[in-house]
Amino acid sequence: MRFNYKLAIQWARYEMKSGSFASAKRALQAVTRRFPRDPTAWSILAYLDAIDGNIDTSQKTLLRGLEHNPASYALHQQLVKLEKKYAPAGQADEAVEIAKAALGEDFMSRKPKFLKLAMIE
C-alpha cells in the first residue's frame, strides 16, 4: 500500500482539532519518516511539543527538520521565534545569525504558506 502524504497530514489536523495530540504526533512522525525533507510535518510536530510545554523537544524537532532541509524558511523562523520566547539570552541571537547565513538577511519577513497548517483553527 502506498503512503498518502496528504491523508496523513489531514489525519493529524483532525486529531489536533479533536484534542488527540498523541494521535496527531503519530501521523506526523510517519510523514517525517517517509518524507524527511518536507518541513510541514516537522513544523507541526514542534508546535505540538511547544504547546504541550516540551520546549526542549520542540527545539530538537526543529533542528532535526533543519538537518533534512537546511534551506527551510519556515523551520528557521519557527526556531528563532521559539528561542526568542523561551531560550536563555543570546541563544536566539545565535539562531538568527545561523538563519541569516543560510537564507539571507530578510528571512524573517517571508511568510511560507504551510505555516498556517501548524495553527489549530
Side-chain angles (χ1 to χ4, degrees):
M1 185 159 108
R2 186 175 173 188
F3 184 84
N4 188 322
Y5 169 83
K6 287 183 181 182
L7 184 60
I9 294 292
Q10 287 175 346
W11 174 37
R13 292 187 77 207
Y14 171 78
E15 294 295 341
M16 287 171 57
K17 285 181 182 180
S18 61
S20 181
F21 292 165
S23 293
K25 286 181 182 182
R26 282 194 297 277
L28 295 166
Q29 288 165 345
V31 173
T32 61
R33 282 191 298 276
R34 299 283 264 182
F35 302 99
R37 289 190 43 80
D38 181 79
T40 303
W42 293 110
S43 177
I44 299 171
L45 271 172
Y47 173 78
L48 289 174
D49 287 330
I51 63 174
D52 276 345
N54 300 321
I55 304 306
D56 289 340
T57 305
S58 180
Q59 180 187 38
K60 288 175 185 173
T61 298
L62 291 168
L63 291 172
R64 272 185 280 151
L66 285 168
E67 286 174 11
H68 295 287
N69 190 351
S72 170
Y73 287 93
L75 294 178
H76 277 289
Q77 287 176 344
Q78 191 173 351
L79 181 61
V80 168
K81 288 177 184 177
L82 181 77
E83 290 190 353
K84 281 185 176 181
K85 188 169 183 177
Y86 296 105
Q91 190 170 337
D93 295 336
E94 182 182 347
V96 168
E97 292 307 314
I98 291 168
K100 283 181 181 177
L103 306 172
E105 292 288 323
D106 67 338
F107 82 96
M108 286 300 285
S109 64
R110 299 179 187 204
K111 298 194 184 290
K113 292 179 184 177
F114 59 85
L115 270 184
K116 288 186 175 184
L117 288 175
M119 304 295 177
I120 297 177
E121 298 169 340

